[in-house]
Amino acid sequence: MKNYLYALRYLFSVHIVGLLILSLFRLILFCRGLDNLGDESGAYLLQSVAFLRGLWFDNVVACYILLLPLVLLSVAAWFNYYGARLYRGVTVFLGVMYAITFAISASDIPYFEYFFKHLNASIFNWMGYGETTLKMMFGEPSYRWPIFFFVAAVAIFSVFLRWMRKLTVASFRKESCRSWKSVGLIVLSTVLTIWACMFGIRGRMGYNPIRVSAAYYCNNTFLNQLGISPTFNLLRSTLEASKKENKSLALMDEQKAIENVRASLAIEESFPDISPIARTVKADTTCTRKNVVLVLMESMSGKFMKRYGNELGLTPFLDSLANHSTCFDRFYSAGTHTNHGLYATLYGYPAMMKKNLMKGAVIPFYTGLPRILQENGYRTLFFMTHESQYDNMNGFLRSNGYDEIYAQENYPADKVVNSFGVQDDFLYEYAIPVLTERAGSEQPFFATLLSISNHPPYIIPPYFKPRSKDIETQIVEYSDWALHKFMDEAFRQPWYKNTIFIFLADHGKLVGSPRSDMPLTYHHIPFMIYEPGQEPQKSEVLGGQIDVAPTVLGMLGISYINNMFGIDLFRQNRSALVFTSDDAIGCIDKDYFYIYRPEDEQEWLFEVKDGEEGNAAQNDTVRYELKDYAFSILQTAQSIINKEETGKYKGYVPQ
């Protein structure tokens, strides 16, 4: 048993020293980026959290390295084998793996200083320019110090490895006879240590394993990114880039697509450092800066509402609210997943089929509603029901305009009902006093509330009594009731009259029988703007989630550079709207709905009746126009996204 303990001492000593050296690389990056601390330059306790989170991420990488040697040496110990050759081979493996990890950490320092992003899958684009890349690395003075740090780290670590191996092998004693109890203890220890190593790889308890989002904890972007392990980031982004759903769309010529989009948006200005769709929006008048509460309702298809033909009476509150609001009856979601709805609603970009643009290890910076409001003096808050790591929301939202994030981690444990956290009514109940406290300052607030209850697994709280019998309609009743309760409570708050309330769904849901390969009940959603004291309106203007941000900014009288695909629905009209599902592209105008499936190049055309599919249609002119429009929007979006990820476009431009 003693020999096995010596083996474990060897492995875990190497593990700890590896973590210390990786922390030193993080300290170097921190020291070189002190200018990025801003107001947090003296907040030493806040800064220390970045190093603790960095150690957490480094441990994930170190556990990946540790796993194979741990298994090999443990199994060898079962058979009482502690040969010098085995330990020499393990030492070589550990030396090579840590040398690669140190190389990544060293290379990350100048890369981060230049791009303000950690190493990611985009570096593989340089592999075809090996000679140029090497000349850049060794010819640029800023690269020499990281190379020196790398060489020093490998040298120190190699000396330690060799010394530790010799010490361990010299400590072994020949065990001629072992009891079953001793062997059993070794086997049990093996199971426990391998489990601990696997847990270290997963990184955390809970629904999701560790994500880049776990590094984000404050409003300083540099400190948030400091905690990310460069090796973890590189591996994660490479894995994501290899997934089929994350491949870039190639629908048409990129330059032609950009020209078409600029023409459709009537863009005459040119901001080449931002993007080809950037244009100046000047406010007509200066308005009072009202608070804004935006509620994204989970899976709330328009077809659940009586207003759009449902006779079950599932949404009495939403139907009543629609009669007292500006209600856009021809409004559609960008995609069929929550991340699509958030991305489009808040940042004005279309959904890119299966791709989750929030979940990447590399988090790009976007303009959009939160950032622009933040720059215009708003306090920005986001309330979700589930863990903040889900879909990388914590990291993405903190990087893109939100000051405060409230998630499952903030709520009492007894309020968590399933893997998606708390129920809607508790989320709304929790948000009210927070908003009231924020309203006590002179700073207006922008709050986003993301509901979840209308998503399986459905949980109906015992204190709510639905009228219908089917769980899928009961949960819609509950969601509507929870919203009513929220607005009743908001009505009693001093900030109510000075607030614009916005209600829309993240996406729809299949209601009834599908009429096409891309059912419009998944996309046709309510969009209501309720402003206390304002006259209600009914709008037949065609709109989508990408139009929410420009429309709200127009209501608030804010001038800005619009780097989004959306328009102000109160002041402009669009000829068509594009949206996607996992495997199809849809484009709708006043009279027709076009579907294209890229994988097998199939396409369909339908008439539109009451905002949804009608009969199949034959009109080649319309089919070509809608196809060209849809391809142009998506190809332009793909071009901008690709260039923002590689740093060519600034994306976020401070005003």
Side-chain angles (χ1 to χ4, degrees):
M1 187 67 184
K2 279 188 176 181
N3 286 347
Y4 178 65
L5 294 177
Y6 289 140
L8 291 183
R9 181 189 65 182
Y10 164 69
L11 288 177
F12 294 128
S13 296
V14 172
H15 185 82
I16 291 169
V17 171
L19 290 176
L20 288 174
I21 293 176
L22 291 173
S23 295
L24 285 175
F25 278 109
R26 180 168 290 102
L27 180 61
I28 293 167
L29 180 61
F30 173 77
C31 292
R32 293 173 69 96
L34 290 174
D35 290 343
N36 297 315
L37 290 174
D39 295 337
E40 282 77 31
S41 58
Y44 303 117
L45 186 60
L46 187 72
Q47 295 165 19
S48 67
V49 175
F51 286 89
L52 290 174
R53 299 203 176 202
L55 189 63
W56 181 15
F57 274 91
D58 288 340
N59 187 62
V60 173
V61 175
C63 283
Y64 270 110
I65 297 173
L66 175 65
L67 183 60
L68 180 59
L70 180 60
V71 172
L72 286 175
L73 297 189
S74 296
V75 172
W78 296 358
F79 300 96
N80 200 25
Y81 179 74
Y82 298 95
R85 288 185 178 180
L86 173 62
Y87 281 80
R88 189 177 292 112
V90 167
T91 299
V92 170
F93 172 82
L94 290 170
V96 170
M97 296 306 295
Y98 271 104
I100 293 171
T101 306
F102 296 157
I104 293 170
S105 296
S107 303
D108 181 70
I109 295 171
Y111 186 93
F112 187 89
E113 289 175 345
Y114 188 82
F115 290 105
F116 205 60
K117 290 183 177 74
H118 288 290
L119 285 173
N120 57 78
S122 67
I123 67 168
F124 297 115
N125 297 331
W126 301 344
M127 293 304 180
Y129 307 97
E131 183 180 353
T132 302
T133 302
L134 288 173
K135 287 181 178 178
M136 175 185 69
M137 290 174 61
F138 290 98
E140 169 58 40
S142 64
Y143 282 62
R144 293 172 187 167
W145 276 108
I147 293 171
F148 169 78
F149 295 140
F150 163 69
V151 172
V154 170
I156 293 169
F157 192 72
S158 298
V159 169
F160 172 78
L161 267 179
R162 186 168 180 270
W163 174 77
M164 199 66 209
R165 175 181 62 82
K166 286 186 173 184
L167 175 65
T168 302
V169 172
S171 300
F172 292 146
R173 295 292 179 264
K174 188 174 182 180
E175 297 177 349
S176 57
C177 182
R178 296 190 303 171
S179 66
W180 284 108
K181 181 180 179 181
S182 176
V183 174
L185 284 173
I186 292 175
V187 172
L188 178 61
S189 298
T190 297
V191 172
L192 292 175
T193 52
I194 290 177
W195 177 87
C197 188
M198 294 296 292
F199 179 76
I201 289 172
R202 194 175 193 276
R204 64 190 297 272
M205 302 281 286
Y207 184 74
N208 293 294
I210 192 170
R211 299 275 191 248
V212 169
S213 182
Y216 287 71
Y217 67 98
C218 66
N219 293 323
N220 184 284
T221 305
F222 174 64
L223 288 177
N224 285 335
Q225 294 199 73
L226 187 66
I228 300 170
S229 160
T231 305
F232 179 92
N233 197 70
L234 179 59
L235 291 174
R236 185 74 195 172
S237 65
T238 302
L239 178 64
E240 289 166 354
S242 67
K243 292 180 180 178
K244 184 178 179 181
E245 62 266 26
N246 290 334
K247 301 295 183 184
S248 294
L249 293 177
L251 300 170
M252 65 181 297
D253 177 74
E254 182 180 292
Q255 194 54 45
K256 178 62 177 174
I258 291 172
E259 291 173 2
N260 289 347
V261 172
R262 285 178 60 85
S264 69
L265 294 173
I267 299 174
E268 297 180 355
E269 299 170 278
S270 179
F271 295 93
D273 288 339
I274 304 176
S275 86
I277 63 166
R279 66 270 191 201
T280 303
V281 176
K282 292 289 186 183
D284 295 336
T285 57
T286 301
C287 304
T288 302
R289 296 295 161 85
K290 291 192 172 186
N291 304 310
V292 179
V293 173
L294 189 154
V295 180
L296 274 162
M297 303 174 286
E298 172 66 41
S299 302
M300 188 60 74
S301 172
K303 270 298 181 181
F304 285 129
M305 295 177 63
K306 183 177 181 180
R307 186 180 184 91
Y308 303 113
N310 193 303
E311 298 299 332
L312 298 178
L314 304 177
T315 58
F317 173 68
L318 283 176
D319 282 306
S320 173
L321 186 68
N323 294 328
H324 294 85
S325 306
T326 298
C327 189
F328 294 84
D329 290 323
R330 300 199 63 221
F331 192 86
Y332 299 86
S333 69
T336 56
H337 300 286
T338 298
N339 65 83
H340 296 155
L342 284 172
Y343 184 73
T345 299
L346 299 174
Y347 304 102
Y349 272 64
M352 306 298 285
M353 304 187 71
K354 295 177 183 177
K355 188 170 185 178
N356 184 339
L357 289 157
M358 295 174 58
K359 202 173 181 179
V362 181
I363 300 178
F365 299 128
Y366 287 94
T367 54
L369 192 56
R371 179 75 69 184
I372 294 169
L373 290 179
Q374 189 182 58
E375 291 175 345
N376 280 272
Y378 278 73
R379 187 70 179 175
T380 54
L381 309 92
F382 194 102
F383 298 84
M384 65 186 80
T385 63
H386 45 67
E387 293 180 334
S388 61
Q389 278 204 70
Y390 185 78
D391 270 353
N392 207 35
M393 286 187 189
N394 182 54
F396 186 89
L397 296 172
R398 284 189 184 276
S399 296
N400 287 288
Y402 279 97
D403 298 309
E404 302 175 35
I405 306 291
Y406 296 91
Q408 183 175 321
E409 299 92 306
N410 300 97
Y411 312 139
D414 62 341
K415 294 296 183 180
V416 176
V417 296
N418 59 24
S419 57
F420 284 109
V422 301
Q423 293 181 279
D424 289 359
D425 64 314
F426 178 79
L427 175 78
Y428 301 142
E429 178 185 326
Y430 183 93
I432 289 288
V434 176
L435 298 182
T436 300
E437 183 180 346
R438 299 298 174 271
S441 68
E442 296 181 359
Q443 188 178 21
F445 63 76
F446 167 57
T448 304
L449 292 86
L450 175 63
S451 77
I452 197 62
S453 289
N454 192 19
H455 189 296
Y458 304 122
I459 304 292
I460 304 292
Y463 46 81
F464 175 72
K465 306 301 178 185
R467 293 186 301 105
S468 58
K469 302 299 182 183
D470 183 359
I471 186 67
E472 292 206 13
T473 52
Q474 289 178 345
I475 203 68
V476 176
E477 289 186 68
Y478 164 70
S479 300
D480 183 77
W481 171 83
L483 280 172
H484 192 178
K485 189 167 175 279
F486 169 67
M487 288 301 287
D488 277 350
E489 191 60 36
F491 177 76
R492 299 184 180 95
Q493 307 307 313
W495 45 267
Y496 173 79
K497 291 184 178 180
N498 190 43
T499 301
I500 299 171
F501 295 89
I502 301 164
F503 298 87
L504 73 158
D506 60 347
H507 52 78
K509 193 175 184 178
L510 182 61
V511 182
S513 300
R515 301 179 185 178
S516 72
D517 276 27
M518 194 178 185
L520 275 178
T521 60
Y522 265 113
H523 297 275
H524 187 203
I525 60 174
F527 176 45
M528 294 171 279
I529 301 176
Y530 175 69
E531 193 172 359
Q534 296 298 311
E535 288 295 319
Q537 299 179 46
K538 176 181 178 180
S539 176
E540 292 291 337
V541 171
L542 178 63
Q545 288 173 324
I546 59 172
D547 302 316
V548 172
T551 301
V552 172
L553 291 169
M555 292 179 69
L556 296 172
I558 292 176
S559 299
Y560 64 103
I561 291 179
N562 188 349
N563 190 28
M564 299 174 278
F565 285 81
I567 62 172
D568 183 342
L569 295 177
F570 286 116
R571 293 169 176 80
Q572 298 167 276
N573 290 304
R574 57 167 60 259
S575 59
L577 179 75
V578 62
F579 41 81
T580 69
S581 63
D582 286 349
D583 64 348
I585 297 166
C587 192
I588 196 168
D589 67 6
K590 181 182 177 183
D591 300 308
Y592 293 96
F593 173 41
Y594 170 76
I595 303 173
Y596 178 80
R597 200 160 61 197
E599 191 165 320
D600 51 20
E601 298 184 351
Q602 290 200 55
E603 56 186 355
W604 299 268
L605 186 68
F606 296 88
E607 294 175 351
V608 174
K609 183 179 180 182
D610 297 327
E612 297 184 20
E613 303 102 313
N615 297 323
Q618 292 291 333
N619 189 320
D620 289 343
T621 300
V622 170
R623 179 182 58 80
Y624 173 79
E625 289 175 350
L626 293 181
K627 181 178 183 178
D628 190 58
Y629 180 89
F631 282 18
S632 296
I633 294 288
L634 294 176
Q635 196 64 60
T636 300
Q638 184 69 75
S639 171
I640 296 171
I641 290 166
N642 289 346
K643 289 181 172 64
E644 284 176 346
E645 288 177 350
T646 58
K648 183 169 182 180
Y649 291 148
K650 293 178 182 177
Y652 160 50
V653 180
Q655 302 300 301

